[in-house]
Amino acid sequence: MLYEYRLETPKEGFIDITDEVRDACRQSGVFDGMLTVYCPHTTAGVTINENTDPDVKNDLLLALNKTYPDRAEFRHSEGNSAAHLKASVIGSSVTVMIDDGELVLGKWQAVYFTEFDGPRSRRFTVKVIGNRG
């Protein structure tokens, strides 16, 4: 089962999409399996990280911006090469196990859509595979 979600993003940041991913899991009726969250954009990504202290998201973004700054020597005509670099490092998908109909995430974990070239209208998909309960 494939589920698609849309979101409006800020200029850059980590957007918690765990509720949407949980919704796809529940709608699917899968009791035991896996799901993949996929971002079909080249200047955005998907990751799993801490969901409690907002400073973690700020620190991650700060580190990504310091590590992959915009550079005058970049040749990409759209001027967003740094966003492409950050999206490549974060990655375009994550896989989450499903057990007893629930996502198997750690106590402090959430699924995040990451934006590096916004604001934009974006989408992501969730593919759920497994045995129904």
Side-chain angles (χ1 to χ4, degrees):
M1 291 137 278
L2 185 67
Y3 302 88
E4 183 173 289
Y5 297 87
R6 298 191 176 277
L7 67 158
E8 299 298 318
T9 64
K11 181 177 180 349
E12 61 182 6
F14 287 68
I15 301 110
D16 188 341
I17 59 170
T18 309
D19 287 343
E20 290 88 342
V21 175
R22 231 179 232 114
D23 176 64
C25 180
R26 289 187 179 133
Q27 282 187 56
S28 75
V30 168
F31 188 74
D32 179 46
M34 302 187 95
L35 61 77
T36 299
V37 182
Y38 174 71
C39 169
H41 305 287
T42 60
T43 57
V46 180
T47 192
I48 295 174
N49 216 298
E50 182 174 329
N51 67 353
T52 303
D53 183 351
D55 288 337
V56 172
K57 294 185 291 186
N58 292 332
D59 292 350
L60 288 168
L61 195 54
L62 175 68
L64 286 166
N65 285 332
K66 283 190 167 275
T67 305
Y68 303 103
D70 194 21
R71 297 175 184 265
E73 60 266 28
F74 284 156
R75 296 173 57 182
H76 181 45
S77 63
E78 289 182 30
N80 60 356
S81 290
H84 287 286
L85 285 164
K86 294 170 202 171
S88 290
V89 168
I90 291 294
S92 60
S93 67
V94 295
T95 300
V96 180
M97 295 177 287
I98 301 167
D99 186 49
D100 204 18
E102 297 293 329
L103 302 180
V104 179
L105 288 172
K107 180 178 182 178
W108 308 111
Q109 288 183 318
V111 182
Y112 290 98
F113 186 95
T114 59
E115 176 62 71
F116 303 112
D117 192 30
R120 292 190 186 244
S121 293
R122 299 288 201 176
R123 67 185 179 92
F124 63 94
T125 55
V126 180
K127 177 71 172 181
V128 186
I129 302 171
N131 302 315
R132 290 181 176 212

